Amino acid sequence: MSVDLDSTGGRVFVRGDRARPFLERHPWVRATSIERIEGEPVAGQVVELVGKGDRVIARGIYEAQGGIRVRLYAWDQRQLDAEFWRERIRMAFMLRETLGLMRPSEACRLVFSEADGLSGLIVDRYRDYIVIQAGSVGMVRRLPVISGVLNDLLRPSAILVRLEPELRRFVGESCEEGVFVGHPPEGPVVIEEHGLQFGVDLMEGQKTGFYLDQRENRLAVARYAPGRRVLDMFCYTGGFALSCAKLGKAKEVWGMDGSERAVALAQANARQNGLANVRFEQGDAFQTLRQFRDRGERFGMVILDPPKFAGGKASVPDALRAYHSLNRLGVELLEPGGILATCSCSGYVTREDFFNVLFGVAQQVKREIQVLEMRSAGPDHPTWVACRETNYLKCFICRVW
Ligand code: SAH
Protein backbone atom coordinates (compact mmCIF):
# COMPACT_ATOMS: atom_id res chain seq x y z
CA MET A 1 0.00 0.00 0.00
CA SER A 2 1.47 3.36 -0.88
CA VAL A 3 0.69 6.34 1.30
CA ASP A 4 0.33 9.87 -0.03
CA LEU A 5 3.10 11.56 1.95
CA ASP A 6 1.76 15.04 1.18
CA SER A 7 -1.60 14.35 2.81
CA THR A 8 -1.90 14.96 6.55
CA GLY A 9 -1.19 11.65 8.25
CA GLY A 10 -1.83 12.65 11.83
CA ARG A 11 -1.86 15.23 14.57
CA VAL A 12 1.06 15.50 16.94
CA PHE A 13 0.07 17.04 20.29
CA VAL A 14 2.81 19.01 21.96
CA ARG A 15 3.16 18.96 25.76
CA GLY A 16 1.63 22.06 27.33
CA ASP A 17 4.89 23.20 28.92
CA ARG A 18 6.92 22.60 25.75
CA ALA A 19 4.99 24.56 23.12
CA ARG A 20 6.88 27.82 23.30
CA PRO A 21 9.81 27.11 20.95
CA PHE A 22 7.40 25.94 18.25
CA LEU A 23 5.21 29.02 18.62
CA GLU A 24 8.49 30.91 18.17
CA ARG A 25 9.10 28.88 15.01
CA HIS A 26 11.90 26.59 16.07
CA PRO A 27 11.69 23.69 13.61
CA TRP A 28 12.85 20.69 15.70
CA VAL A 29 10.27 18.73 17.68
CA ARG A 30 11.95 16.12 19.87
CA ALA A 31 10.27 13.09 21.44
CA THR A 32 10.36 14.72 24.88
CA SER A 33 8.10 17.55 23.64
CA ILE A 34 5.40 15.21 22.30
CA GLU A 35 2.41 14.32 24.47
CA ARG A 36 0.62 11.98 22.06
CA ILE A 37 0.02 11.33 18.40
CA GLU A 38 -3.41 11.02 16.84
CA GLY A 39 -3.54 8.94 13.68
CA GLU A 40 -0.83 6.70 12.27
CA PRO A 41 1.52 8.85 10.23
CA VAL A 42 4.31 7.04 8.40
CA ALA A 43 7.89 8.32 8.43
CA GLY A 44 8.15 11.12 5.89
CA GLN A 45 4.46 12.04 5.97
CA VAL A 46 2.99 15.48 6.66
CA VAL A 47 1.59 16.03 10.17
CA GLU A 48 0.09 18.92 12.08
CA LEU A 49 1.65 20.07 15.33
CA VAL A 50 -1.16 20.85 17.73
CA GLY A 51 -1.00 22.94 20.91
CA LYS A 52 -3.41 24.12 23.59
CA GLY A 53 -7.10 24.23 22.70
CA ASP A 54 -6.56 22.07 19.63
CA ARG A 55 -4.87 24.92 17.87
CA VAL A 56 -2.62 23.99 14.94
CA ILE A 57 0.80 25.56 15.58
CA ALA A 58 2.57 24.45 12.41
CA ARG A 59 2.78 21.82 9.70
CA GLY A 60 5.74 19.55 9.46
CA ILE A 61 7.01 16.14 8.48
CA TYR A 62 6.97 13.14 10.75
CA GLU A 63 10.34 11.43 11.12
CA ALA A 64 9.30 8.53 13.41
CA GLN A 65 12.84 7.86 14.69
CA GLY A 66 15.97 9.71 15.73
CA GLY A 67 16.59 12.84 17.79
CA ILE A 68 14.11 15.02 15.89
CA ARG A 69 10.64 13.46 15.53
CA VAL A 70 8.91 16.20 13.56
CA ARG A 71 10.56 18.85 11.41
CA LEU A 72 8.44 21.97 10.97
CA TYR A 73 8.19 23.98 7.75
CA ALA A 74 5.02 26.09 7.64
CA TRP A 75 3.35 28.20 10.32
CA ASP A 76 0.41 29.11 8.11
CA GLN A 77 -2.18 27.25 6.06
CA ARG A 78 0.16 26.24 3.25
CA GLN A 79 0.23 22.63 2.12
CA LEU A 80 3.62 20.91 2.10
CA ASP A 81 3.36 19.81 -1.52
CA ALA A 82 5.65 19.93 -4.55
CA GLU A 83 4.81 23.60 -5.10
CA PHE A 84 5.90 24.43 -1.54
CA TRP A 85 9.33 22.81 -1.96
CA ARG A 86 9.77 24.43 -5.38
CA GLU A 87 9.10 27.85 -3.85
CA ARG A 88 11.47 27.35 -0.89
CA ILE A 89 14.28 26.08 -3.13
CA ARG A 90 13.74 28.99 -5.51
CA MET A 91 14.00 31.44 -2.59
CA ALA A 92 17.28 29.80 -1.56
CA PHE A 93 18.61 29.89 -5.11
CA MET A 94 17.71 33.59 -5.52
CA LEU A 95 19.77 34.46 -2.44
CA ARG A 96 22.88 32.84 -3.92
CA GLU A 97 22.32 34.73 -7.16
CA THR A 98 22.02 37.98 -5.20
CA LEU A 99 25.26 37.13 -3.44
CA GLY A 100 27.04 36.69 -6.78
CA LEU A 101 27.90 33.09 -5.96
CA MET A 102 26.70 31.46 -9.17
CA ARG A 103 29.88 31.90 -11.22
CA PRO A 104 30.17 28.72 -13.31
CA SER A 105 33.70 27.73 -12.25
CA GLU A 106 33.05 28.12 -8.52
CA ALA A 107 31.14 26.37 -5.76
CA CYS A 108 28.59 27.46 -3.17
CA ARG A 109 25.95 26.16 -0.82
CA LEU A 110 22.55 26.48 -2.49
CA VAL A 111 20.40 25.22 0.38
CA PHE A 112 21.39 25.18 4.04
CA SER A 113 18.73 23.19 5.82
CA GLU A 114 16.99 25.09 8.65
CA ALA A 115 18.74 28.30 7.63
CA ASP A 116 16.75 28.24 4.37
CA GLY A 117 13.53 26.95 5.88
CA LEU A 118 14.31 23.47 4.56
CA SER A 119 15.23 21.45 7.64
CA GLY A 120 17.03 18.25 6.66
CA LEU A 121 18.14 19.38 3.19
CA ILE A 122 21.60 20.52 2.17
CA VAL A 123 22.40 21.25 -1.45
CA ASP A 124 25.88 22.23 -2.63
CA ARG A 125 26.93 23.24 -6.12
CA TYR A 126 30.37 22.39 -7.45
CA ARG A 127 30.65 23.97 -10.91
CA ASP A 128 27.78 22.28 -12.74
CA TYR A 129 27.51 19.35 -10.34
CA ILE A 130 24.93 19.30 -7.58
CA VAL A 131 25.36 17.31 -4.38
CA ILE A 132 22.32 16.79 -2.17
CA GLN A 133 22.96 15.80 1.41
CA ALA A 134 19.74 14.46 2.85
CA GLY A 135 19.47 14.65 6.63
CA SER A 136 15.91 13.49 7.22
CA VAL A 137 13.56 10.75 6.08
CA GLY A 138 11.14 13.42 4.86
CA MET A 139 13.76 14.79 2.48
CA VAL A 140 14.89 11.35 1.33
CA ARG A 141 11.31 10.51 0.38
CA ARG A 142 11.05 13.79 -1.54
CA LEU A 143 14.28 13.39 -3.51
CA PRO A 144 12.43 12.99 -6.83
CA VAL A 145 10.62 16.30 -6.31
CA ILE A 146 13.72 18.11 -5.03
CA SER A 147 16.02 16.87 -7.77
CA GLY A 148 13.34 17.76 -10.32
CA VAL A 149 13.25 21.34 -9.05
CA LEU A 150 17.06 21.57 -9.03
CA ASN A 151 17.24 20.12 -12.51
CA ASP A 152 14.75 22.71 -13.84
CA LEU A 153 16.59 25.57 -12.16
CA LEU A 154 20.18 24.65 -12.96
CA ARG A 155 20.32 22.01 -15.71
CA PRO A 156 23.36 20.42 -14.01
CA SER A 157 25.67 17.74 -15.43
CA ALA A 158 24.66 15.50 -12.56
CA ILE A 159 22.81 15.45 -9.26
CA LEU A 160 24.46 13.23 -6.67
CA VAL A 161 22.84 12.19 -3.42
CA ARG A 162 24.55 11.55 -0.10
CA LEU A 163 22.91 10.63 3.18
CA GLU A 164 23.88 11.81 6.63
CA PRO A 165 25.42 8.77 8.32
CA GLU A 166 22.78 8.55 11.08
CA LEU A 167 20.02 8.43 8.52
CA ARG A 168 21.20 5.27 6.82
CA ARG A 169 19.81 3.27 9.72
CA PHE A 170 16.35 4.74 9.25
CA VAL A 171 15.84 4.66 5.51
CA GLY A 172 17.21 1.15 5.05
CA GLU A 173 18.04 -0.22 1.65
CA SER A 174 15.32 1.69 -0.15
CA CYS A 175 17.59 4.66 -0.74
CA GLU A 176 21.05 4.19 -2.12
CA GLU A 177 23.54 6.98 -2.21
CA GLY A 178 24.63 7.80 -5.70
CA VAL A 179 23.67 9.46 -8.91
CA PHE A 180 20.15 10.79 -9.26
CA VAL A 181 20.40 12.66 -12.54
CA GLY A 182 23.12 12.54 -15.21
CA HIS A 183 26.55 10.92 -14.95
CA PRO A 184 29.01 11.13 -12.06
CA PRO A 185 32.28 12.98 -12.65
CA GLU A 186 35.39 10.97 -13.37
CA GLY A 187 37.66 11.80 -10.45
CA PRO A 188 37.66 15.03 -8.45
CA VAL A 189 35.74 18.05 -9.76
CA VAL A 190 38.05 21.07 -9.88
CA ILE A 191 36.48 24.23 -8.46
CA GLU A 192 37.87 27.72 -8.18
CA GLU A 193 37.95 29.70 -4.95
CA HIS A 194 39.61 33.12 -4.75
CA GLY A 195 41.60 32.18 -7.86
CA LEU A 196 42.87 28.90 -6.40
CA GLN A 197 41.96 25.50 -7.84
CA PHE A 198 40.70 22.76 -5.54
CA GLY A 199 39.93 19.18 -6.52
CA VAL A 200 36.76 18.03 -4.75
CA ASP A 201 35.84 14.39 -4.26
CA LEU A 202 32.04 14.54 -4.47
CA MET A 203 31.25 10.93 -3.60
CA GLU A 204 33.95 9.95 -1.10
CA GLY A 205 34.99 13.28 0.39
CA GLN A 206 33.80 14.49 3.81
CA LYS A 207 30.29 16.04 3.94
CA THR A 208 29.53 16.93 0.31
CA GLY A 209 33.25 17.14 -0.53
CA PHE A 210 34.43 20.59 0.57
CA TYR A 211 33.98 22.94 3.54
CA LEU A 212 32.24 25.75 1.70
CA ASP A 213 31.34 27.49 4.97
CA GLN A 214 34.96 28.59 5.45
CA ARG A 215 35.35 30.23 2.03
CA GLU A 216 35.35 33.84 3.26
CA ASN A 217 37.39 32.92 6.34
CA ARG A 218 40.12 31.39 4.21
CA LEU A 219 40.51 34.73 2.46
CA ALA A 220 40.35 36.69 5.74
CA VAL A 221 42.95 34.49 7.44
CA ALA A 222 45.29 34.63 4.42
CA ARG A 223 45.55 38.41 4.88
CA TYR A 224 47.58 37.85 8.04
CA ALA A 225 49.96 35.32 6.48
CA PRO A 226 52.59 37.43 4.63
CA GLY A 227 56.08 36.33 5.59
CA ARG A 228 54.88 33.97 8.31
CA ARG A 229 55.56 30.31 8.98
CA VAL A 230 52.04 28.86 9.06
CA LEU A 231 50.64 25.70 10.64
CA ASP A 232 47.22 24.63 9.29
CA MET A 233 45.97 22.01 11.72
CA PHE A 234 42.93 19.98 10.50
CA CYS A 235 43.75 21.11 6.96
CA TYR A 236 41.45 18.65 5.12
CA THR A 237 42.23 19.20 1.39
CA GLY A 238 44.34 22.29 2.06
CA GLY A 239 41.79 25.13 2.05
CA PHE A 240 43.46 27.46 4.55
CA ALA A 241 47.00 26.24 3.83
CA LEU A 242 46.89 26.95 0.10
CA SER A 243 45.11 30.27 0.62
CA CYS A 244 47.89 31.36 2.99
CA ALA A 245 50.60 30.15 0.63
CA LYS A 246 49.23 31.78 -2.51
CA LEU A 247 47.00 34.69 -1.56
CA GLY A 248 48.78 35.40 1.74
CA LYS A 249 52.36 34.90 0.52
CA ALA A 250 53.31 32.96 3.62
CA LYS A 251 56.97 32.05 3.99
CA GLU A 252 56.25 28.37 4.55
CA VAL A 253 53.10 26.34 5.26
CA TRP A 254 52.56 23.02 7.01
CA GLY A 255 49.18 21.33 6.76
CA MET A 256 48.20 18.38 8.93
CA ASP A 257 45.11 16.19 8.94
CA GLY A 258 44.12 12.84 10.37
CA SER A 259 42.69 11.62 7.07
CA GLU A 260 45.14 10.08 4.61
CA ARG A 261 42.71 10.63 1.74
CA ALA A 262 42.36 14.32 2.57
CA VAL A 263 46.13 14.75 2.79
CA ALA A 264 46.64 13.08 -0.61
CA LEU A 265 44.13 15.46 -2.20
CA ALA A 266 45.74 18.43 -0.41
CA GLN A 267 49.10 17.46 -1.92
CA ALA A 268 47.54 17.16 -5.37
CA ASN A 269 45.90 20.58 -4.87
CA ALA A 270 49.27 22.14 -3.95
CA ARG A 271 50.78 20.75 -7.15
CA GLN A 272 47.83 21.87 -9.25
CA ASN A 273 48.34 25.44 -8.00
CA GLY A 274 52.13 25.29 -8.47
CA LEU A 275 52.86 25.91 -4.79
CA ALA A 276 56.17 24.53 -3.60
CA ASN A 277 56.49 26.01 -0.10
CA VAL A 278 53.62 23.93 1.31
CA ARG A 279 53.84 20.46 2.75
CA PHE A 280 51.09 18.20 4.02
CA GLU A 281 51.35 15.33 6.46
CA GLN A 282 48.96 12.90 7.99
CA GLY A 283 48.82 12.84 11.77
CA ASP A 284 46.71 13.24 14.88
CA ALA A 285 46.35 16.90 15.82
CA PHE A 286 46.72 16.63 19.58
CA GLN A 287 49.69 14.30 19.37
CA THR A 288 51.44 16.39 16.73
CA LEU A 289 50.87 19.66 18.59
CA ARG A 290 52.40 18.15 21.73
CA GLN A 291 55.39 16.86 19.78
CA PHE A 292 55.89 20.27 18.20
CA ARG A 293 55.69 21.95 21.58
CA ASP A 294 58.14 19.51 23.16
CA ARG A 295 60.73 20.01 20.45
CA GLY A 296 60.36 23.81 20.51
CA GLU A 297 58.82 24.39 17.05
CA ARG A 298 57.52 27.92 16.59
CA PHE A 299 55.07 29.35 14.07
CA GLY A 300 54.01 32.85 13.09
CA MET A 301 50.47 31.62 12.52
CA VAL A 302 48.49 28.64 13.76
CA ILE A 303 45.12 27.72 12.22
CA LEU A 304 42.86 25.36 14.16
CA ASP A 305 39.72 24.11 12.40
CA PRO A 306 38.76 20.89 14.19
CA PRO A 307 35.68 18.73 13.52
CA LYS A 308 32.56 19.22 15.62
CA PHE A 309 33.37 18.41 19.27
CA ALA A 310 29.81 18.80 20.67
CA GLY A 311 27.05 16.80 18.99
CA GLY A 312 24.43 17.80 21.57
CA LYS A 313 23.89 19.85 24.70
CA ALA A 314 25.14 17.06 26.97
CA SER A 315 28.58 16.97 25.37
CA VAL A 316 29.24 20.72 25.65
CA PRO A 317 31.36 20.53 28.84
CA ASP A 318 33.64 17.88 27.31
CA ALA A 319 33.82 19.84 24.09
CA LEU A 320 34.86 23.00 25.94
CA ARG A 321 37.66 21.08 27.66
CA ALA A 322 38.83 19.77 24.28
CA TYR A 323 38.73 23.28 22.76
CA HIS A 324 40.70 24.53 25.75
CA SER A 325 43.53 22.02 25.42
CA LEU A 326 43.65 22.37 21.63
CA ASN A 327 43.84 26.16 21.77
CA ARG A 328 46.31 26.07 24.60
CA LEU A 329 48.62 23.90 22.50
CA GLY A 330 48.12 26.21 19.52
CA VAL A 331 49.00 29.31 21.54
CA GLU A 332 52.09 27.64 22.99
CA LEU A 333 53.47 27.16 19.47
CA LEU A 334 53.08 30.82 18.53
CA GLU A 335 55.99 33.22 18.54
CA PRO A 336 55.24 36.59 20.23
CA GLY A 337 52.95 38.60 17.96
CA GLY A 338 51.80 35.43 16.21
CA ILE A 339 48.33 34.92 14.75
CA LEU A 340 45.89 32.32 16.01
CA ALA A 341 42.96 31.57 13.69
CA THR A 342 40.73 29.30 15.70
CA CYS A 343 37.41 27.78 14.73
CA SER A 344 34.54 25.84 16.25
CA CYS A 345 31.72 24.35 14.20
CA SER A 346 29.76 23.00 17.18
CA GLY A 347 26.32 24.60 17.06
CA TYR A 348 25.81 23.94 20.77
CA VAL A 349 28.96 25.87 21.73
CA THR A 350 28.03 29.56 21.70
CA ARG A 351 30.26 32.45 20.66
CA GLU A 352 30.37 33.46 24.30
CA ASP A 353 31.49 29.94 25.30
CA PHE A 354 34.20 30.00 22.68
CA PHE A 355 35.34 33.44 23.77
CA ASN A 356 35.59 32.11 27.33
CA VAL A 357 37.78 29.25 26.11
CA LEU A 358 40.28 31.81 24.83
CA PHE A 359 39.97 33.76 28.07
CA GLY A 360 40.83 30.59 30.01
CA VAL A 361 43.79 29.82 27.76
CA ALA A 362 45.20 33.34 28.11
CA GLN A 363 44.97 33.03 31.92
CA GLN A 364 46.64 29.68 31.96
CA VAL A 365 49.55 30.33 29.63
CA LYS A 366 49.96 33.91 30.89
CA ARG A 367 49.94 35.47 27.45
CA GLU A 368 47.82 38.26 26.00
CA ILE A 369 45.25 37.41 23.36
CA GLN A 370 43.76 40.16 21.21
CA VAL A 371 40.72 39.13 19.17
CA LEU A 372 40.97 40.91 15.82
CA GLU A 373 38.00 39.39 14.01
CA MET A 374 35.05 37.33 15.24
CA ARG A 375 33.79 35.71 12.11
CA SER A 376 31.12 33.22 11.14
CA ALA A 377 30.20 31.25 8.03
CA GLY A 378 29.71 32.99 4.68
CA PRO A 379 26.30 34.37 3.68
CA ASP A 380 25.39 31.25 1.72
CA HIS A 381 25.18 29.70 5.23
CA PRO A 382 22.70 32.17 6.75
CA THR A 383 21.49 32.22 10.33
CA TRP A 384 17.75 31.57 10.78
CA VAL A 385 16.87 33.70 13.77
CA ALA A 386 14.34 31.22 15.14
CA CYS A 387 16.94 28.44 15.08
CA ARG A 388 20.11 29.71 16.71
CA GLU A 389 21.88 26.41 16.06
CA THR A 390 22.26 27.62 12.46
CA ASN A 391 24.77 30.18 13.78
CA TYR A 392 27.19 27.32 14.35
CA LEU A 393 30.53 28.41 12.93
CA LYS A 394 32.94 30.53 14.91
CA CYS A 395 36.23 31.66 13.39
CA PHE A 396 38.19 34.02 15.64
CA ILE A 397 41.35 35.60 14.32
CA CYS A 398 43.60 36.70 17.19
CA ARG A 399 47.03 38.11 17.85
CA VAL A 400 48.95 36.53 20.71
CA TRP A 401 51.82 38.25 22.54
N1 SAH B 1 40.05 23.48 7.40
C1 SAH B 1 39.46 22.55 6.48
C2 SAH B 1 38.26 21.82 7.06
C3 SAH B 1 38.56 21.01 8.31
S1 SAH B 1 37.29 19.89 8.75
C4 SAH B 1 39.07 23.29 5.20
O1 SAH B 1 39.15 24.52 5.14
O2 SAH B 1 38.71 22.62 4.23
C5 SAH B 1 38.03 19.00 10.05
C6 SAH B 1 39.16 18.07 9.65
O3 SAH B 1 39.70 17.49 10.83
C7 SAH B 1 38.79 16.91 8.76
O4 SAH B 1 39.52 16.99 7.57
C8 SAH B 1 39.19 15.65 9.56
O5 SAH B 1 39.78 14.65 8.74
C9 SAH B 1 40.21 16.20 10.52
N2 SAH B 1 40.39 15.49 11.79
C10 SAH B 1 39.45 14.97 12.60
N3 SAH B 1 40.00 14.51 13.74
C11 SAH B 1 41.34 14.74 13.65
C12 SAH B 1 42.45 14.51 14.51
N4 SAH B 1 42.31 13.94 15.70
N5 SAH B 1 43.68 14.91 14.10
C13 SAH B 1 43.84 15.50 12.89
N6 SAH B 1 42.83 15.74 12.05
C14 SAH B 1 41.59 15.37 12.42
Side-chain angles (χ1 to χ4, degrees):
M1 189 190 70
S2 87
V3 176
D4 175 10
L5 295 178
D6 292 352
S7 69
T8 306
R11 300 169 53 119
V12 176
F13 289 80
V14 67
R15 273 175 47 180
D17 57 334
R18 297 287 179 107
R20 187 160 169 193
F22 313 117
L23 292 165
E24 292 172 345
R25 304 189 174 203
H26 197 286
W28 300 340
V29 186
R30 298 178 192 281
T32 46
S33 301
I34 297 176
E35 192 178 78
R36 67 192 164 90
I37 298 174
E38 213 178 76
E40 283 178 11
V42 300
Q45 193 172 13
V46 171
V47 288
E48 287 176 339
L49 187 76
V50 183
K52 262 200 203 108
D54 249 20
R55 188 177 137 208
V56 177
I57 297 174
R59 305 170 78 79
I61 293 179
Y62 186 58
E63 287 291 310
Q65 298 180 78
I68 301 169
R69 292 298 163 88
V70 180
R71 289 174 188 264
L72 302 176
Y73 300 93
W75 279 262
D76 53 23
Q77 298 305 309
R78 266 176 303 172
Q79 298 298 311
L80 303 184
D81 54 11
E83 202 36 53
F84 180 87
W85 307 115
R86 178 179 300 277
E87 195 44 39
R88 282 275 154 106
I89 293 171
R90 221 174 53 82
M91 282 292 284
F93 173 74
M94 275 161 48
L95 170 65
R96 281 63 184 183
E97 279 204 313
T98 305
L99 294 168
L101 292 175
M102 295 307 290
R103 280 183 290 271
S105 58
E106 298 188 356
C108 69
R109 175 148 294 185
L110 286 173
V111 176
F112 184 31
S113 201
E114 289 79 22
D116 279 299
L118 286 164
S119 182
L121 180 67
I122 283 173
V123 182
D124 287 340
R125 174 185 74 89
Y126 296 97
R127 301 185 71 112
D128 53 346
Y129 287 93
I130 301 292
V131 185
I132 299 178
Q133 191 181 16
S136 70
V137 178
M139 288 301 166
V140 167
R141 299 285 177 250
R142 285 165 181 76
L143 282 172
V145 173
I146 290 159
S147 57
V149 173
L150 292 167
N151 201 30
D152 290 348
L153 273 174
L154 297 150
R155 297 277 161 219
S157 291
I159 299 179
L160 312 177
V161 173
R162 303 188 56 171
L163 301 187
E164 269 181 23
E166 201 204 13
L167 198 62
R168 263 176 234 145
R169 298 206 317 263
F170 305 150
V171 290
E173 298 304 307
S174 62
C175 179
E176 296 278 318
E177 288 186 288
V179 182
F180 227 80
V181 169
H183 298 285
E186 278 172 33
V189 168
V190 178
I191 58 144
E192 221 177 272
E193 182 185 273
H194 313 307
L196 280 153
Q197 315 276 314
F198 289 98
V200 182
D201 183 346
L202 302 187
M203 283 320 290
E204 303 292 330
Q206 296 178 22
K207 309 280 178 180
T208 65
F210 200 61
Y211 290 90
L212 294 169
D213 52 355
Q214 294 278 29
R215 180 187 51 241
E216 322 282 346
N217 296 333
R218 287 188 275 263
L219 188 61
V221 167
R223 281 211 298 272
Y224 298 87
R228 294 185 194 264
R229 183 170 192 242
V230 176
L231 175 63
D232 177 10
M233 197 46 94
F234 309 96
C235 66
Y236 189 48
T237 54
F240 280 101
L242 300 184
S243 302
C244 288
K246 180 155 179 203
L247 314 172
K249 305 204 165 24
K251 188 166 82 189
E252 180 196 343
V253 184
W254 263 25
M256 304 275 296
D257 199 277
S259 154
E260 218 175 289
R261 227 187 145 94
V263 167
L265 195 45
Q267 285 162 340
N269 286 337
R271 279 194 299 275
Q272 167 118 9
N273 289 283
L275 293 165
N277 60 340
V278 195
R279 65 166 140 164
F280 292 102
E281 276 173 41
Q282 193 234 333
D284 174 72
F286 286 88
Q287 222 177 334
T288 312
L289 288 169
R290 278 192 199 98
Q291 279 166 5
F292 280 0
R293 179 194 61 194
D294 295 346
R295 66 175 201 234
E297 291 275 358
R298 285 293 175 272
F299 293 88
M301 181 190 257
V302 172
I303 301 160
L304 301 172
D305 184 18
K308 184 157 80 180
F309 285 162
K313 267 196 189 124
S315 50
V316 168
D318 280 348
L320 293 179
R321 273 190 287 276
Y323 284 122
H324 179 94
S325 41
L326 181 65
N327 281 280
R328 179 181 175 163
L329 284 164
V331 164
E332 283 172 334
L333 292 184
L334 277 176
E335 53 196 35
I339 298 291
L340 175 72
T342 181
C343 310
S344 158
C345 59
S346 306
Y348 289 96
V349 169
T350 65
R351 286 177 176 264
E352 192 69 16
D353 289 338
F354 199 52
F355 188 90
N356 284 331
V357 166
L358 294 179
F359 174 74
V361 168
Q363 301 290 303
Q364 208 173 41
V365 299
K366 300 193 167 47
R367 292 183 63 175
E368 305 302 335
I369 301 182
Q370 291 172 299
V371 178
L372 311 175
E373 297 186 38
M374 297 174 104
R375 305 180 56 90
S376 54
D380 52 341
H381 296 65
T383 296
W384 187 263
V385 289
C387 181
R388 283 167 207 244
E389 292 85 345
T390 54
N391 185 14
Y392 68 106
L393 185 65
K394 281 102 20 217
C395 172
F396 291 4
I397 306 177
C398 316
R399 186 171 72 156
V400 181
W401 304 358

